């Protein structure tokens, strides 16, 4: 259904040259192994023993403050809950993520609770690059990064959503990269020929 909504965004005067989605394995690995994982592990190593000790104190009747301590540490584990929420919602994000390339634009959909669709005109893209980090190399995929004049490298993927400039974890990343570059070159050639 999400892919169908993305297809409906394509203009009637455009031809779809390519459509795809992130590779499932790479997307899920990256969702699990992110910056919040080590933070969550450290947080659990500190807070869980305290919670267990408080539960034991309640059982033995030694400490009346344990009724306060347990909720405090459950709240204190907020980074862990954020990490778990990002892992759980990764399945929905994967389902909602799709890409379409036409001779005029790149269409990108994504999101968790709401479907967000971005349309990037090829004429406005200043650079197109390929990114192959550790996860991409392990799973034999690549990410095609689209930059325009308003994009900065600080606008990267975060824990809950992906940067709308990236075509994440594509198995045919090199072909997609070439397709975008060739389509841009053709559009520029036609524009320059028409202006003469």
């Amino acid at each position: 259904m999400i892919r169908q909504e993305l297809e409906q965004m394509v203009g009637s005067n455009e031809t779809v040259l390519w459509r795809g989605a992130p590779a499932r394995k790479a997307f899920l690995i990256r969702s699990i192994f992110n910056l919040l994982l080590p933070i969550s592990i450290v947080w659990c190593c500190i807070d869980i023993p305290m919670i267990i000790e408080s539960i034991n104190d309640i059982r033995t009747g030694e400490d009346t403050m344990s009724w306060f301590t347990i909720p405090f540490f459950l709240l204190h584990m907020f980074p862990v809950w954020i990490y778990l929420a990002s892992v759980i919602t990764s399945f929905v994000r994967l389902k909602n993520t799709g890409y379409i390339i036409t001779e005029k634009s790149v269409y990108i959909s994504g999101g968790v609770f709401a479907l967000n669709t971005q349309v990037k005109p090829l004429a406005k893209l200043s650079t197109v690059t390929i990114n192959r980090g550790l996860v991409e190399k392990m799973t034999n995929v690549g990410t095609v990064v689209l930059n325009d004049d308003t994009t900065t490298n600080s606008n990267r993927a975060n824990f809950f959503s992906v940067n709308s400039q990236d075509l994440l974890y594509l198995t045919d990343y090199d072909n997609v990269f070439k397709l975008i570059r060739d389509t841009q070159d053709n559009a520029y050639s036609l524009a320059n020929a028409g202006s003469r």
Side-chain angles (χ1 to χ4, degrees):
M1 180 173 160
I2 301 303
R3 304 287 196 282
Q4 184 179 4
E5 289 180 33
L6 185 60
E7 295 273 350
Q8 292 171 352
M9 297 294 293
V10 176
S12 58
N13 60 342
E14 294 181 75
T15 304
V16 173
L17 304 175
W18 179 88
R19 62 178 53 88
R24 181 181 183 88
K25 182 178 177 182
F27 192 93
L28 295 176
I29 287 173
R30 181 65 177 98
S31 296
I32 293 168
F33 297 101
N34 61 43
L35 183 60
L36 271 181
L37 178 61
I39 293 170
S40 297
I41 290 171
V42 169
W43 227 262
C44 285
C45 289
I46 294 169
D47 286 5
I48 290 178
M50 299 287 202
I51 293 171
I52 292 171
E53 184 178 327
S54 295
I55 291 171
N56 287 336
D57 288 347
I58 290 172
R59 285 185 188 159
T60 60
E62 290 178 17
D63 187 7
T64 57
M65 285 299 291
S66 294
W67 291 107
F68 169 76
T69 308
I70 293 172
F72 170 78
F73 278 109
L74 289 175
L75 183 61
H76 189 259
M77 290 181 63
F78 194 66
V80 176
W81 308 137
I82 291 173
Y83 169 74
L84 290 176
S86 72
V87 171
I88 291 167
T89 58
S90 65
F91 295 99
V92 177
R93 282 186 288 127
L94 177 61
K95 181 182 164 219
N96 290 346
T97 303
Y99 314 116
I100 293 177
I101 299 172
T102 70
E103 77 280 2
K104 295 181 181 179
S105 302
V106 178
Y107 294 81
I108 303 169
S109 70
V112 177
F113 301 110
L115 181 65
N116 302 314
T117 303
Q118 294 279 327
V119 180
K120 300 304 275 179
L122 291 174
K124 300 232 180 200
L125 297 179
S126 56
T127 60
V128 180
T129 57
I130 295 175
N131 181 21
R132 294 200 70 222
L134 182 61
V135 172
E136 284 96 347
K137 289 178 183 174
M138 285 175 29
T139 55
N140 200 26
V141 297
T143 295
V144 177
V145 181
L146 310 174
N147 292 306
D148 57 26
D149 293 336
T150 62
T151 307
T152 62
N153 286 332
S154 62
N155 188 17
R156 302 288 4 125
N158 63 35
F159 301 117
F160 296 108
S161 63
V162 296
N163 180 4
S164 62
Q165 305 289 111
D166 297 350
L167 306 180
L168 295 169
Y169 313 123
L170 304 178
T171 53
D172 56 345
Y173 62 92
D174 48 349
N175 292 332
V176 171
F177 173 80
K178 290 173 188 167
L179 174 66
I180 292 172
R181 296 302 297 160
D182 291 346
T183 306
Q184 277 186 311
D185 290 343
N186 291 341
Y188 290 138
S189 298
L190 289 174
N192 288 338
S195 65
R196 292 178 186 173

